[in-house]
Amino acid sequence: MTAPASSYTFGIEEELFLVDPVSRCAVTRMPKRFLSDCRRELGERIGRELLQSQIEIVSPVFADAAEAAATMTDLRRRLAGIACRHGLRMLAAGTQPLTTWRSQAVSPKQRYERLLDDYQILGLRNLVCGLHVHVGVPESIDRVRVMNRMLPWLPVFLALSASSPFWSRQPTGLHSYRQAAYDEWPRTGIPDAFEDQADYDAFADLLESSGAIESRQSLWWAIRPSHRFPTLEMRIADSCTRLDDALALATLYRCLVHAHAENDALGRSTGSAAMLRRLTDENRWRAKRHGVAADFIDDGGRRRDIAAVLGEAEPWLRRSAEALGVADVLGPVRAILVRGSSADRQLAIYRDARAAGAGRIEALHAVVDWLIAASLPAPGLSRTGRPDDDSGGPRHTEPALAAAP
């Protein structure tokens, strides 16, 4: 079947940290008027998160990439401006390099208080931020069957988004420590290959009726059919420091959903469901560890880097991009491979600072300064989401923030 492009709308959710510009640590408590100011100026586009040091941008429903780029640029810049007025800075990353989880306070919301009561120390240690992308799936197409065939792509999104190489003031040796930390929670990671939506619903109903979970919102897998919207939600990605990276991944994910929904032969594994699940998890580990330098094992035993994976998918990805009116689906993604992820840049800044004689904390200060600067969309960001300068270097630090609206 062929559904109209209008069926494949999309939305973006970005979790961000609020930072003290002097200590460079995430704030312990959100200023009293900060959230009310955000909601007065940005309305329902801003949401609270579990910890008071976190804030979320929730996009409207988008129909095209140019609209998404313009809106998300505006939302990030305006949120950064509100943060500045409250003496704070905003940064996008999977973890906050200098902050320890013991310093954090839970947001005053009944649901979060219930979560903390249920999950105890796991809730306090949830000092991580992610990027979630929703893509609409036509009502006539089974979202879970599409989800099953898209599982092998999840490690690719993790590798491209990796932005959490530090945890609690220490280099972790991983490019995405956020994924390792999030694995502490139940019902996370790679989902099993359910037969179809009915099979998935039966499992969710069982957990709800038994009292194990309050709602399907507590199924926190790396990809899931949304419980609130007719979408397939990708949740594996770290929060992307550069907005253009987040837009590139959202566009790629949208094209992948379209391709797999429109062609039910695409993504079928030659192995069993158990092999598919475990192979995807093996590749997820490789993405956690090595980021964009990872290579992945396919169900035929081949090892391929991300460039090869994208190259093999290019013909059918371009057809979906054309159907959705996307001018260039792979160019912005390949730019990440050339320049490296946020994790690559953070590690380079840290190594350079240490080589120049900086202590560990001083080197992490340099990392956080870059994260704050790079999280603010560049003035030259176009309506296509392509920046004037892809280097992401640490040139725009405090002066760029002072100029925020």
Side-chain angles (χ1 to χ4, degrees):
M1 66 159 291
T2 301
S6 58
S7 301
Y8 296 94
T9 54
F10 67 109
I12 299 170
E13 298 168 357
E14 292 192 297
E15 297 169 350
L16 308 159
F17 288 108
L18 298 173
V19 178
D20 181 300
V22 178
S23 70
R24 276 85 157 189
C25 292
V27 299
T28 300
R29 295 186 182 276
M30 185 182 291
K32 286 184 178 180
R33 293 183 55 190
F34 175 77
L35 189 62
S36 61
D37 285 353
C38 286
R39 288 182 171 160
R40 185 179 66 255
E41 297 184 35
L42 302 177
E44 62 186 9
R45 299 298 157 229
I46 297 298
R48 198 190 281 276
E49 281 296 307
L50 176 62
L51 300 177
Q52 291 194 43
S53 60
Q54 299 165 313
I55 195 78
E56 182 178 40
I57 294 176
V58 181
S59 82
V61 177
F62 296 127
D64 64 75
E67 177 190 13
T71 301
M72 296 306 293
T73 297
D74 181 61
L75 287 171
R76 271 211 196 187
R77 292 192 67 84
R78 290 173 68 188
L79 178 59
I82 296 169
C84 280
R85 295 204 302 270
H86 284 269
L88 305 177
R89 300 295 182 263
M90 173 200 83
L91 71 79
T95 56
Q96 211 287 350
L98 278 162
T99 304
T100 60
W101 63 267
R102 291 178 179 84
S103 67
Q104 295 300 292
V106 176
S107 297
K109 188 176 180 180
Q110 199 171 48
R111 176 173 173 259
Y112 294 147
E113 291 169 1
R114 289 197 302 269
L115 278 175
L116 188 61
D117 181 63
D118 197 1
Y119 298 107
Q120 296 292 306
I121 194 174
L122 304 188
L124 293 173
R125 283 175 52 82
N126 196 46
L127 190 63
V128 296
C129 286
L131 165 72
H132 303 161
V133 182
H134 290 259
V135 173
V137 177
E139 192 175 311
S140 59
I141 297 174
D142 192 297
R143 289 181 294 169
V144 171
R145 289 181 173 171
V146 174
M147 179 179 80
N148 291 341
R149 291 183 284 112
M150 288 187 59
L151 291 183
W153 281 93
L154 295 177
V156 174
F157 283 100
L158 178 59
L160 291 166
S161 68
S163 64
S164 49
F166 299 100
W167 175 256
S168 197
R169 306 188 171 197
Q170 297 286 341
T172 65
L174 308 182
H175 280 64
S176 177
Y177 184 78
R178 166 184 162 270
Q179 272 289 295
Y182 203 48
D183 281 345
E184 293 183 341
W185 285 71
R187 301 177 296 280
T188 58
I190 307 301
D192 290 295
F194 291 91
E195 182 67 27
D196 52 22
Q197 184 75 54
D199 190 32
Y200 181 95
D201 289 343
F203 176 73
D205 289 344
L206 175 65
L207 292 190
E208 283 188 89
S209 62
S210 67
I213 60 174
E214 188 173 311
S215 74
R216 295 168 194 225
Q217 193 171 357
S218 296
L219 300 176
W220 293 299
W221 287 313
I223 188 171
R224 67 181 183 183
S226 173
H227 66 289
R228 292 185 297 164
F229 310 114
T231 63
L232 193 57
E233 180 187 6
M234 186 268 291
R235 300 171 50 82
I236 197 170
D238 279 5
S239 183
C240 291
T241 303
R242 303 175 180 94
L243 177 59
D244 50 302
D245 290 1
L247 295 167
L249 296 190
T251 299
L252 175 63
Y253 180 65
R254 183 186 180 211
C255 290
L256 283 167
V257 171
H258 176 274
H260 286 77
E262 294 294 322
N263 181 0
D264 62 9
L266 196 62
R268 292 196 177 275
S269 174
T270 59
S272 65
M275 180 181 288
L276 171 66
R277 162 74 167 73
R278 286 299 161 197
L279 194 54
T280 302
D281 221 20
E282 171 63 27
N283 288 332
R284 183 172 69 110
W285 158 247
R286 302 166 82 83
K288 280 188 219 179
R289 174 65 181 86
H290 300 291
V292 294
D295 60 6
F296 301 127
I297 306 166
D298 67 15
D299 56 8
R302 295 180 300 166
R303 290 173 59 159
R304 299 173 300 159
D305 61 15
I306 296 176
V309 172
L310 294 174
E312 289 185 15
E314 185 165 4
W316 52 263
L317 264 176
R318 287 196 181 281
R319 287 194 291 272
S320 282
E322 184 178 350
L324 296 172
V326 174
D328 184 8
V329 61
L330 289 178
V333 176
R334 285 175 170 145
I336 300 174
L337 297 180
V338 171
R339 119 166 83 72
S341 68
S342 170
D344 291 314
R345 186 61 180 156
Q346 290 179 57
L347 290 167
I349 292 170
Y350 181 80
R351 286 192 298 265
D352 289 349
R354 293 303 303 271
R360 180 166 51 85
I361 302 304
E362 186 181 358
L364 289 175
H365 282 175
V367 172
V368 173
D369 286 344
W370 177 79
L371 285 169
I372 292 170
S375 297
L376 188 66
L381 193 69
S382 74
R383 287 185 61 83
T384 62
R386 300 297 298 275
D388 291 340
D389 179 6
D390 276 344
S391 66
R395 297 179 310 284
H396 313 295
T397 52
E398 209 63 22
L401 289 166

